């Protein structure tokens, strides 16, 4: 319990010390980055340790780590001192606002709840001996026990790690700060990472909604929804179980459903051309924490959200030079960008390209929104891109200069000499087998797609009204009858297809959408062609008609090409890009008019304590900015979906296992925050319309009618009547009842109605959605209920109904399984930790991946010759495969030979200092939990080590020994 409290206190301390940094970095967000303070504090402290440790100035120990925490406090004090005229008053004012304390309390409660929830879960199965836990714990333990930096690779002869191990480094720093045994710290770290991730997701979602005219309650509620979407809820795989198998009987202990949570992340298979069916891993956050692997994608979750928050801050920043001015004094402002974006490369290299590209695109759009010529915009973007790149290289210099890459590049003989294609084919392969089913995609992301597609439908409805052209000439009679005949044929094809294929498939519980796609397309197209008014409306909107036909065609072609996601992914990519560009053009077009209405408004005059009118931004409507941010994220998600259906990254796997694992995790993040935001936008659709909607809106209330707006919205006159009296100040914006004030950069103040010549002093009540709102909310609630199956039922069932609580010590299994060997391991670990000069390579019996091989190096922190071979093959793209395999085979050769000379030669070749003869090596225990594949080294072969090495640990009763070449 003391260790848990210490970890919690340290994380809070670093978060509070980092507040001046977050207030500076995220100064244009409503919460000023408060939700991001803990990961920023931990990252800053760790980077200070990283630099000092790599310079070899002081040892990498607990004292050094605490000095870095003190240094963070000093740097924060300097920042406050330098910004005493601006930063200090802003912080005091922000903390002085009562509603901000609601944000603070909510944030801290969410962090504490998430931290406690996962630690409680880990207390029921703390063992670190399955799946990837050996690897994750081995790296953390190696870092926590290492007296120097860079840390050695525990699974490759003590050479530096060649992996994105930044997340393990952060947890190793926490272990040194708390002086916790890493085997216990691993399980506490699971809670810490989850707490930081869920609170960062809360912060991102609440900032999105807060910036988009959200009231304080809406911002908090939307933040909770975002945290739930991203970090609490699971996918819709339980719905598939219900449709196929129904519910369990009421008396069953697992009523209503035995959740197959492992299958929910392995529901997709690649049917290879040779007949094999290879499974694909599609994890999602709440599954990852139940699985318990503290892997890079899990460790990176808080920092991915940090980068998204930083990108949002760029989009809404009021200054033309979003990051800095071209002056040497502004160089320091690039460091936060380099630190945050570069952290993704350090913690999880697979996330870096995606979110770096997203940041770059949003940075370019932010500069376009600030105005200027295209050459000027291009120059500013290029200048800032170079600045971020240099800052990132500087901050992570020691890592970037030592990391040699993990992809080895396998040439394909057929295209090896083709320019560009030959080079790309070394790293990316073409998918020539059937791809993901649409039903599988919906099972994974359906919860997010419902609000997202509803939002797109409402947006397209706006375009439908605005892009109407003159009525074309009527069709000849024969053409009209031809259209109707075609509609009848389509209707017949749809009905026959539904009866012949879809109904039998569903009756057989074949839960796929393949057989339903063609009937849906045919019936949809028939409805338009048979309805005369619809056909006329389509002819008046030729662009939308062409887009609809292209969409239906791609949806129909997909199943024929065994590429069902072609249509949906292309739709997301195309319409997200189109809507974002439309918002951008509309914002720029209305810029002058909106600036004029702000300058003429009585509310444009700053109140007492607010910033002067010189700080008014160029763009009063921020709702469009936030929409653009979300739409760009969804466009990127659509592009990633297409990439995963066309290509796979060529690594040690011959299918999409790693490709889907990494990129679909990113899709979960992108769709998740977009789903949370669009849920709120759909819910508030009638009262919040962005710039693109306003551009063609009537200026007189008498010209508004119900027919001009969808779904029965009536009282929109008041929205446009009150628009001139709602200025958007520098660091905030208006809402229905509250105004963000520029002095606090994101605080709410009551919006006092102003009396002007053409604006009334009372705001009319605005009605929201019509009848469709409640069925839609009911459907969303139903999907959310299904998505709670994993965090509720699956967690309940996996822990045996939360019974048999153990401890947080991940070594318990080791002590129970191999008690004699465990004592020897503890002795060796303590012996090496007493003096840094005693560290060295330890030899143990080799084994394959996902066994208990490399158990001694994993639990002592000392390096072995080779750990899990396929992991090292994957990490070291710069080495030939034989180099790793030969070293791995030498490990058993040393044990099995009776030739002393050969043994000595191999030990010297691999610089082995300790030889461990435990229960695996003496043949009394297997490397596998099912007791298969015992090692069979002869007693004579094991006894030879005593002839030329010094026994430093002896347990003759159990035949367990440790030998040293130099004690």
């Amino acid at each position: 319990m003391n260790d848990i409290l210490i970890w919690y206190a340290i994380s809070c301390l670093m978060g509070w010390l980092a507040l001046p940094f977050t207030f500076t970095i995220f100064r244009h967000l409503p919460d000023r980055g408060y939700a991001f303070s803990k990961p920023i504090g931990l990252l800053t402290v760790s980077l200070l340790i990283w630099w000092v440790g790599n310079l070899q100035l002081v040892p990498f120990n607990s004292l050094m780590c605490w000095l870095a925490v003190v240094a963070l406090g000093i740097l924060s004090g300097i920042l406050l001192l330098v910004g005493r005229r601006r930063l200090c008053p802003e912080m005091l004012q922000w903390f002085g606002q009562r509603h901000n304390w609601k944000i603070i309390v909510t944030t801290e409660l969410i962090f504490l709840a998430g931290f406690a929830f996962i630690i409680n879960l880990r207390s029921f199965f703390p063992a670190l001996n399955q799946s990837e836990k050996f690897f994750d714990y081995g790296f953390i333990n190696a870092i926590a026990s290492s007296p120097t930096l860079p840390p050695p690779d525990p699974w490759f002869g003590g050479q530096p790690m060649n992996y994105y191990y930044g997340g393990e480094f952060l947890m190793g720093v926490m272990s040194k700060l708390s002086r916790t045994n890493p085997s216990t710290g691993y399980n506490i770290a699971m809670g810490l990472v989850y707490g930081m991730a869920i609170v960062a997701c809360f912060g991102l979602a609440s900032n999105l909604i807060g910036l988009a005219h959200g009231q304080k309650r809406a911002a908090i509620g939307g933040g909770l929804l975002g945290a739930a979407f991203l970090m609490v809820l699971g996918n819709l795989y339980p719905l598939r179980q219900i449709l196929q198998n129904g519910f369990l009987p009421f008396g069953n202990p697992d009523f209503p459903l035995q959740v197959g949570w492992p299958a929910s992340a392995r529901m997709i298979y690649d049917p290879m051309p040779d007949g094999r069916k290879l499974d694909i891993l599609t994890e999602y956050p709440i599954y990852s924490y139940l699985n318990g692997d503290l892997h890079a994608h899990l460790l990176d979750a808080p920092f991915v959200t940090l980068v998204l928050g930083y990108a949002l801050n760029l989009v809404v920043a009021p200054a033309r030079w979003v990051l800095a001015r071209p002056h040497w004094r502004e160089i320091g402002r690039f460091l936060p960008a380099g630190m945050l974006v570069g952290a993704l490369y350090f913690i999880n290299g697979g996330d870096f390209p995606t979110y770096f590209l997203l940041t770059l695109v949003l940075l370019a759009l932010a500069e376009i929104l600030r105005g200027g010529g295209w050459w000027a915009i291009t120059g500013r973007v290029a200048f800032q891109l170079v600045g971020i790149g240099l800052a990132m290289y500087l901050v992570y210099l020691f890592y970037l200069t030592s990391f040699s890459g993990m992809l080895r590049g396998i040439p394909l003989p057929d295209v090896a000499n083709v320019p560009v294609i030959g080079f790309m084919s070394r790293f990316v392969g073409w998918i020539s087998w059937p791809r993901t089913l649409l039903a599988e995609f919906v099972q994974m992301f359906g919860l997010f797609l419902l609000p997202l597609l509803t939002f797109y439908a409402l947006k397209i409805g706006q375009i439908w009204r605005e892009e109407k052209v003159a009525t074309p000439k009527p069709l000849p009679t024969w053409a009209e009858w031809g259209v109707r005949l075609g509609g009848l044929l389509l209707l017949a094809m749809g009905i026959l297809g539904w009866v012949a294929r879809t109904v039998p498939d569903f009756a057989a519980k074949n839960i796929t959408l393949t057989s339903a796609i063609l009937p849906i397309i045919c019936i949809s197209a028939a409805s338009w062609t048979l309805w005369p008014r619809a056909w006329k409306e389509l002819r008046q909107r030729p662009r939308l008609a062409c887009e609809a036909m292209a969409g239906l065609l791609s949806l129909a072609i997909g199943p024929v090409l065994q590429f069902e996601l072609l249509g949906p992914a292309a739709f997301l990519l195309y319409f997200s890009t189109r809507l974002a560009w439309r918002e951008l053009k509309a914002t720029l077009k209305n810029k002058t008019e909106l600036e004029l209405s702000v300058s003429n408004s009585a509310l444009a005059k700053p109140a007492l304590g607010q910033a002067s009118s010189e700080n008014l931004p160029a763009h009063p409507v921020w709702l469009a900015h936030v929409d653009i941010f979300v739409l760009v994220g969804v466009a990127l998600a659509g592009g990633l979906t297409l990439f995963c259906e066309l290509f796979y990254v060529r690594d040690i796997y011959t299918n999409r296992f790693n490709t889907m694992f990494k990129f679909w995790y990113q899709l979960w993040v992108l769709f998740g925050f977009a789903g949370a935001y669009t849920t709120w936008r759909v819910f508030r659709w009638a009262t919040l319309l962005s710039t693109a909607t306003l551009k063609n809106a009537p200026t007189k209330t008498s010209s508004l009618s119900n027919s001009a707006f969808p779904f029965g919205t009536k009282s929109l006159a008041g929205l446009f009547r009150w628009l001139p009296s709602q200025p958007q100040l520098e660091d905030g914006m208006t809402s229905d009842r509250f105004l963000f004030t520029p002095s606090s950069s994101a605080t709410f103040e009551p919006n006092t109605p102003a009396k002007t010549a053409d604006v009334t002093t009372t705001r009319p009540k605005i009605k929201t959605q019509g009848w469709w709102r409640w069925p839609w909310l009911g459907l969303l609630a139903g999907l959310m209920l299904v998505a709670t199956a994993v965090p509720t039922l699956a967690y309940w069932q996996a822990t045996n109904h939360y019974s048999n609580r153990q401890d947080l010590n991940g070594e318990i299994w080791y002590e129970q399984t191999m008690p004699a060997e465990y004592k020897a391991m503890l002795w060796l670990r303590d012996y090496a930790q007493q003096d840094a000069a005693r560290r060295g390579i330890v030899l143990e019996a080799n084994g394959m991946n996902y066994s208990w091989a490399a158990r001694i190096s994993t639990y002592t922190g000392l390096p072995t010759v080779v750990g899990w071979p396929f992991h090292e093959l994957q990490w070291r793209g710069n080495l030939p495969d034989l180099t790793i395999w030969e070293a791995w085979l030498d490990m058993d050769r040393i044990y099995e030979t009776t030739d002393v000379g050969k043994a000595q030669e191999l030990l010297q070749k691999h610089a082995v200092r300790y030889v461990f003869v435990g229960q695996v090596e003496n043949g009394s225990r297997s490397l596998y939990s099912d007791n298969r594949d015992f090692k069979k080294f002869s007693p004579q072969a094991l006894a030879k080590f005593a002839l030329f090495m010094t026994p430093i640990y002896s347990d003759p009763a159990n035949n367990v020994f440790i030998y040293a070449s130099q004690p």
Side-chain angles (χ1 to χ4, degrees):
M1 187 64 179
N2 289 337
D3 290 333
I4 299 173
L5 295 177
I6 291 171
W7 276 65
Y8 177 77
I10 291 174
S11 61
C12 289
L13 173 63
M14 290 189 293
W16 295 330
L17 291 177
L19 283 176
F21 289 91
T22 65
F23 267 72
T24 303
I25 297 171
F26 300 99
R27 66 179 306 265
H28 306 297
L29 299 185
D31 76 342
R32 299 303 295 265
Y34 185 89
F36 306 139
S37 59
K38 290 178 179 65
I40 283 186
L42 176 58
L43 179 63
T44 306
V45 167
S46 300
L47 288 176
L48 291 173
I49 296 168
W50 172 255
W51 262 85
V52 175
N54 277 277
L55 291 173
Q56 306 293 324
L57 299 178
V58 294
F60 177 41
N61 54 27
S62 179
L63 176 61
M64 173 191 174
C65 294
W66 275 108
L67 289 175
V69 175
V70 174
L72 173 63
I74 294 173
L75 290 174
S76 296
I78 294 173
L79 188 61
L80 289 173
L81 182 63
V82 172
R84 60 187 179 276
R85 294 183 179 178
R86 179 175 183 178
L87 180 59
C88 290
E90 287 181 357
M91 291 185 68
L92 290 174
Q93 183 175 3
W94 191 87
F95 280 104
Q97 299 290 333
R98 181 180 178 184
H99 73 272
N100 287 335
W101 279 98
K102 295 182 180 179
I103 294 288
I104 293 171
V105 171
T106 305
T107 301
E108 294 298 336
L109 288 177
I110 292 173
F111 173 74
L112 180 59
F115 182 69
F117 172 65
I118 296 300
I119 289 178
N120 178 65
L121 170 71
R122 295 304 305 163
S123 68
F124 292 97
F125 34 74
L128 306 179
N129 64 341
Q130 295 176 345
S131 190
E132 296 279 1
K133 297 177 185 62
F134 254 37
F135 153 50
D136 298 319
Y137 173 61
F139 268 45
I140 293 174
N141 195 23
I143 293 169
S145 61
S146 176
T148 58
L149 292 176
D153 186 342
W155 286 0
F156 198 67
Q159 295 189 27
M161 296 177 181
N162 197 64
Y163 181 75
Y164 31 81
Y165 58 89
E168 287 85 356
F169 180 73
L170 299 182
M171 297 305 107
V173 167
M174 284 296 298
S175 294
K176 283 186 177 289
L177 283 169
S178 62
R179 298 198 176 190
T180 305
N181 188 328
S183 63
T184 300
Y186 178 102
N187 290 308
I188 301 177
M190 291 284 293
L192 176 64
V193 174
Y194 184 80
M196 291 194 302
I198 193 172
V199 82
C201 292
F202 166 80
L204 176 63
S206 65
N207 282 314
L208 281 170
I209 295 171
L211 286 167
H213 294 222
Q215 301 177 10
K216 60 182 181 181
R217 290 183 180 178
I220 294 176
L224 292 172
L225 183 65
F229 270 18
L230 286 160
M231 297 301 300
V232 176
L233 300 179
N235 61 20
L236 300 181
Y237 181 81
L239 182 61
R240 173 178 175 176
Q241 288 188 268
I242 295 171
L243 292 175
Q244 289 182 331
N245 305 317
F247 292 104
L248 295 173
F250 183 74
N252 192 297
D254 293 326
F255 175 84
L257 182 69
Q258 176 68 45
V259 180
W261 63 271
S264 69
R266 292 180 182 269
M267 59 185 173
I268 302 175
Y269 291 85
D270 270 345
M272 306 304 291
D274 58 6
R276 294 176 300 159
K277 291 183 68 176
L278 302 180
D279 65 335
I280 294 173
L281 183 62
T282 54
E283 284 194 22
Y284 49 93
I286 201 64
Y287 167 94
S288 299
Y289 287 93
L290 181 56
N291 192 45
D293 293 343
L294 198 55
H295 225 36
H297 64 285
L298 189 149
L299 289 161
D300 203 27
F303 301 96
V304 163
T305 314
L306 270 180
V307 172
L308 291 174
Y310 189 77
L312 176 62
N313 185 75
L314 294 181
V315 173
V316 300
R320 171 169 288 184
W321 288 90
V322 175
L323 280 177
R325 300 175 186 275
H327 193 279
W328 67 269
R329 294 178 181 174
E330 305 294 334
I331 292 176
R333 298 181 64 183
F334 283 97
L335 289 177
M339 182 180 76
L340 296 181
V341 178
L344 303 187
Y345 193 78
F346 187 36
I347 298 172
N348 184 15
D351 283 340
F352 174 76
T354 299
Y355 295 107
F356 181 73
L357 175 62
L358 178 62
T359 303
L360 176 60
V361 171
L362 291 171
L363 174 62
L365 292 177
E367 288 297 346
I368 293 174
L369 287 169
R370 307 299 167 253
W374 284 106
W375 282 109
I377 293 172
T378 304
R380 296 200 303 265
V381 172
F383 173 80
Q384 294 179 83
L385 178 61
V386 171
I388 293 174
L390 291 175
M392 183 177 67
Y393 187 81
L394 175 63
V395 173
Y396 297 97
L397 175 66
F398 291 109
Y399 175 73
L400 294 172
T401 54
S402 63
F403 184 70
S404 60
M406 293 167 58
L407 293 178
R408 58 187 68 238
I410 306 170
L412 292 178
D414 297 339
V415 295
N417 298 322
V418 179
V420 181
I421 296 177
F423 175 78
M424 292 300 297
S425 68
R426 296 168 60 94
F427 306 99
V428 177
W430 174 262
I431 296 173
S432 59
W433 52 84
R435 300 166 176 87
T436 312
L437 298 176
L438 179 58
E440 295 166 340
F441 188 76
V442 172
Q443 287 171 43
M444 189 70 180
F445 305 112
L447 175 63
F448 311 141
L449 293 176
L450 174 63
L452 189 62
L453 294 179
T454 306
F455 175 72
Y456 277 39
L458 294 172
K459 284 282 190 181
I460 294 172
Q462 292 178 357
I463 299 174
W464 179 268
R465 292 186 299 274
E466 295 173 9
E467 292 189 355
K468 184 176 180 179
V469 298
T471 304
K473 295 180 180 179
L475 290 175
T477 304
W478 63 268
E480 290 185 4
W481 281 105
V483 170
R484 292 172 183 173
L485 179 61
L488 290 173
L489 291 174
L490 287 172
L491 182 62
M493 289 175 58
I495 295 174
L496 289 175
W498 193 272
V499 173
R501 293 196 58 186
T502 308
V503 174
D505 277 358
F506 275 78
K509 298 183 179 180
N510 180 22
I511 312 300
T512 68
L513 298 180
T514 305
S515 59
I517 289 177
L518 188 60
I520 290 173
I521 293 171
C522 292
I523 293 174
S524 300
S527 65
W528 285 101
T529 54
L530 292 175
W531 185 19
R533 181 179 176 184
W535 176 251
K536 179 181 178 181
E537 295 287 337
L538 276 176
R539 293 187 65 207
Q540 291 177 329
R541 299 164 179 85
R543 179 177 177 180
L544 278 175
C546 291
E547 290 169 342
M549 288 188 290
L552 291 175
L553 184 62
S554 63
L555 193 63
I557 290 175
V560 177
L561 301 176
Q562 295 182 318
F563 190 174
E564 289 192 13
L565 294 188
L566 173 62
F571 170 84
L572 290 174
L573 176 60
Y574 174 77
F575 269 101
S576 298
T577 304
R578 184 185 173 189
L579 291 174
W581 187 249
R582 179 174 175 269
E583 295 284 358
L584 183 67
K585 291 194 301 182
T587 302
L588 294 175
K589 183 177 180 180
N590 286 272
K591 175 183 173 182
T592 304
E593 291 82 352
L594 292 172
E595 281 181 334
L596 182 61
S597 74
V598 170
S599 63
N600 291 335
S601 171
L603 287 178
K605 298 178 181 180
L608 184 63
Q610 295 181 351
S612 65
S613 58
E614 297 175 353
N615 294 325
L616 290 176
H619 307 285
V621 180
W622 281 11
L623 180 61
H625 293 204
V626 182
D627 279 358
I628 289 171
F629 174 84
V630 173
L631 290 169
V632 170
V634 178
L636 180 60
L640 287 177
T641 303
L642 284 175
F643 177 87
C644 292
E645 298 302 299
L646 294 172
F647 308 102
Y648 68 96
V649 178
R650 300 186 66 206
D651 49 22
I652 64 173
Y653 298 98
T654 57
N655 70 327
R656 297 185 294 166
F657 183 90
N658 261 341
T659 306
M660 295 275 281
F661 170 42
K662 295 180 184 298
F663 288 124
W664 272 40
Y665 215 86
Q666 297 170 10
L667 291 183
W668 185 275
V669 174
L670 295 172
F671 282 138
F673 83 78
Y677 174 74
T678 53
T679 297
W680 177 79
R681 285 284 276 117
V682 170
F683 187 77
R684 299 282 292 169
W685 181 257
T687 57
L688 293 171
L689 298 176
S690 57
T691 309
T693 307
L694 301 180
K695 71 173 187 176
N696 293 325
T699 55
K700 296 182 180 180
T701 59
S702 59
S703 63
L704 290 174
S705 64
N706 292 342
S707 60
F709 299 94
F711 310 113
T713 56
K714 295 180 179 179
S715 302
L716 287 169
L719 175 65
F720 302 110
R721 248 168 83 190
W722 277 81
L723 178 64
S725 66
Q726 295 181 0
Q728 315 300 319
L729 303 180
E730 178 187 349
D731 294 313
M733 60 191 329
T734 63
S735 66
D736 290 344
R737 295 168 58 192
F738 298 91
L739 174 70
F740 287 97
T741 61
S743 56
S744 63
S745 295
T747 55
F748 295 99
E749 292 290 348
N751 186 4
T752 305
K755 294 183 178 181
T756 59
D758 57 344
V759 178
T760 60
T761 58
T762 59
R763 176 164 301 187
K765 215 171 184 183
I766 299 177
K767 184 178 179 181
T768 55
Q769 289 78 5
W771 65 268
W772 65 274
R773 174 187 180 189
W774 302 111
W776 183 87
L777 288 175
L779 178 58
L780 180 64
L783 294 181
M784 292 180 67
L785 181 63
V786 172
T788 61
V790 171
T792 55
L793 295 177
Y795 275 56
W796 168 264
Q797 293 158 7
T799 57
N800 193 21
H801 304 169
Y802 288 108
S803 62
N804 302 322
R805 188 188 301 276
Q806 300 181 42
D807 194 350
L808 290 175
N809 185 0
E811 298 177 356
I812 291 177
W813 76 273
Y814 199 176
E815 182 179 9
Q816 295 172 348
T817 306
M818 292 178 274
E821 181 180 297
Y822 177 72
K823 294 178 182 178
M825 183 278 296
L826 288 180
W827 186 93
L828 178 60
R829 185 169 68 189
D830 294 339
Y831 177 78
Q833 288 178 355
Q834 290 171 7
D835 187 352
R838 293 176 178 174
R839 293 182 61 84
I841 297 174
V842 59
L843 177 70
E844 55 188 308
N846 66 22
M848 295 302 293
N849 294 17
Y850 306 109
S851 68
W852 294 338
R855 68 207 185 282
I856 305 302
S857 61
T858 297
Y859 277 88
T860 61
L862 298 175
T864 190
V865 178
V866 175
W868 289 356
F870 284 103
H871 281 63
E872 286 295 339
L873 287 170
Q874 196 171 357
W875 299 337
R876 299 190 178 274
N878 58 324
L879 290 181
D881 292 358
L882 285 178
T883 302
I884 296 171
W885 280 119
E886 281 294 328
W888 184 79
L889 292 172
D890 281 346
M891 297 171 71
D892 271 10
R893 289 170 181 162
I894 296 173
Y895 282 108
E896 65 189 7
T897 184
T898 56
D899 187 338
V900 173
K902 182 179 179 180
Q904 287 180 309
E905 178 185 351
L906 291 175
L907 289 171
Q908 292 174 2
K909 173 184 176 182
H910 298 291
V912 173
R913 181 169 186 178
Y914 302 106
V915 175
F916 192 93
V917 179
Q919 291 181 262
V920 171
E921 289 76 16
N922 65 31
S924 64
R925 196 66 177 87
S926 169
L927 283 172
Y928 297 90
S929 58
D930 57 0
N931 293 324
R932 56 187 168 90
D933 297 337
F934 283 80
K935 294 291 182 179
K936 298 179 180 179
F937 304 130
S938 67
Q940 296 82 2
L942 296 178
K944 69 177 178 295
F945 297 111
L947 301 177
F948 60 92
M949 302 183 76
T950 303
I952 57 176
Y953 180 89
S954 298
D955 182 5
N958 294 289
N959 195 22
V960 175
F961 300 91
I962 301 176
Y963 300 95
S965 59
Q966 41 178 316

